[in-house]
Amino acid sequence: VNKARLWTSSLRRTNETASFIKHPVIDMGNGETWSQMSHRVYRNLDEIFAGEYEGLTYAEVKERFKDEAFLREVDKIGYRYPRGESYFDIISRLDPLVHELESYREPT
């Protein structure tokens, strides 16, 4: 039996989605059990933080903040939202988590 965990961001919608995933308890033998797909929340998996523009659609940003929208179009990966993040920031945020997840082993 392969053990499995469920890793999600801390966003409400991901946790709501995760609530529909079953967590069957598996008999591992020797009186031990394992709860499949136990939920673990990692803030590092959250989507990009748009800072001052959080909650706005791209269309709204483009309409209200034309200069910022242009800067984002020119350099999408390097553009940092005012008081927010860039995609380079997300890469830096995810890198240690990816290494952790790759090396993570559940106790047997």
Side-chain angles (χ1 to χ4, degrees):
V1 173
N2 290 326
K3 296 178 177 180
R5 289 275 185 221
L6 174 62
W7 295 303
T8 70
S9 73
S10 67
L11 301 177
R12 181 176 57 197
R13 67 177 177 268
T14 60
N15 288 290
E16 288 172 354
T17 300
S19 73
F20 291 97
I21 296 174
K22 296 183 191 283
H23 307 286
V25 176
I26 298 171
D27 182 0
M28 300 299 290
N30 300 328
E32 295 180 23
T33 59
W34 174 262
S35 179
Q36 285 287 64
M37 302 304 286
S38 292
H39 190 195
R40 297 221 174 157
V41 176
Y42 292 91
R43 282 192 53 112
N44 285 9
L45 291 174
D46 288 358
E47 65 189 27
I48 193 166
F49 177 61
E52 294 176 9
Y53 305 149
E54 192 69 17
L56 299 178
T57 65
Y58 291 126
E60 290 170 328
V61 171
K62 194 171 186 173
E63 181 182 314
R64 296 181 197 176
F65 308 100
K66 292 178 180 19
D67 292 343
E68 290 293 326
F70 174 75
L71 292 173
R72 183 178 180 275
E73 285 179 25
V74 170
D75 182 19
K76 188 171 181 178
I77 195 167
Y79 173 77
R80 180 176 286 125
Y81 287 96
R83 299 179 194 250
E85 292 181 299
S86 71
Y87 285 104
F88 282 131
D89 294 329
I90 291 177
I91 291 167
S92 296
R93 172 164 47 96
L94 286 174
D95 188 55
L97 179 63
V98 169
H99 288 285
E100 178 184 343
L101 295 178
E102 286 177 336
S103 65
Y104 194 82
R105 298 288 179 263
E106 291 291 347
T108 56

